[in-house]
Amino acid sequence: MKFTDKLKKSKKRSRLAYIVAFLAIAYFLMTSIKGIYFWTDGSSFPPAESINSGIKWLFSKTWKFPISNLWEVIPAIPFEGRDILSFYKVIVPPAVVLVICALFITDYRALRSKFYELKAEIEKELTLREMRKDAGLETLSESASIDVVISNATNNDPAWHNTGWGK
């Protein structure tokens, strides 16, 4: 699979992961708001009463068809009691979904940064080739073997037996 194909597929997965992460955050917020509502219900502490009335106002404003069904179905985070399992039973699913979404998002970001890094290297190589051509330097293809390089080389040095050493 080509790198650009991987990048495109990763981009689609990343966008889907953003949507799913947004839904998981909305789920977590709704469970925490519902839990805070039940926790502050019937309290005589003034800040808790104002929080409770604010949540009642929020419920009344969002009590429309699809969201009202969500408010009824979504469990509340139990802030009271010592049952830690029921507390984590509500928190863990959106946390796991967020972690999985984060993996897809970071995978796309890593591939994208690698793509731009490779693109910059290729552009740098192309500009260096152009500069070598402008300077009159001969460049060989990367697939050329060492024999081709040696046979193409010009050697003006005299043989050793024609110098003072060989006479």
Side-chain angles (χ1 to χ4, degrees), residues 26-83:
Y27 171 83
F28 179 72
L29 285 175
M30 289 179 80
T31 57
S32 60
I33 288 171
K34 194 172 179 181
I36 291 170
Y37 173 74
F38 289 135
W39 188 33
T40 59
D41 195 29
S43 177
S44 60
F45 189 57
E49 288 175 350
S50 63
I51 289 172
N52 194 304
S53 66
I55 293 174
K56 282 181 187 176
W57 176 83
L58 180 69
F59 285 161
S60 67
K61 291 295 180 187
T62 59
W63 202 261
K64 306 285 187 265
F65 166 64
I67 300 174
S68 64
N69 291 346
L70 285 175
W71 282 121
E72 292 172 359
V73 174
I74 287 180
I77 296 177
F79 290 110
E80 293 180 344
R82 298 196 181 263
D83 189 14

Side-chain angles (χ1 to χ4, degrees), residues 82-127:
R82 298 196 181 263
D83 189 14
I84 198 84
L85 185 61
S86 63
F87 182 76
Y88 284 116
K89 196 164 60 171
V90 176
I91 292 177
V92 168
V96 169
V97 168
L98 282 175
V99 168
I100 292 171
C101 290
L103 291 175
F104 284 113
I105 292 167
T106 55
D107 178 46
Y108 170 67
R109 288 183 178 178
L111 281 175
R112 187 178 62 189
S113 67
K114 185 68 174 175
F115 174 76
Y116 286 123
E117 181 181 315
L118 290 173
K119 184 178 175 183
E121 281 184 35
I122 291 170
E123 288 174 352
K124 180 181 173 186
E125 276 297 319
L126 290 175
T127 56

Side-chain angles (χ1 to χ4, degrees), residues 14 56 72 81 99 101-102 106 115 120 138 140 147 157 162 165:
S14 174
K56 282 181 187 176
E72 292 172 359
V99 168
C101 290
T106 55
F115 174 76
E138 181 183 342
L140 296 172
D147 296 332
D157 294 336
N162 291 335
W165 291 94

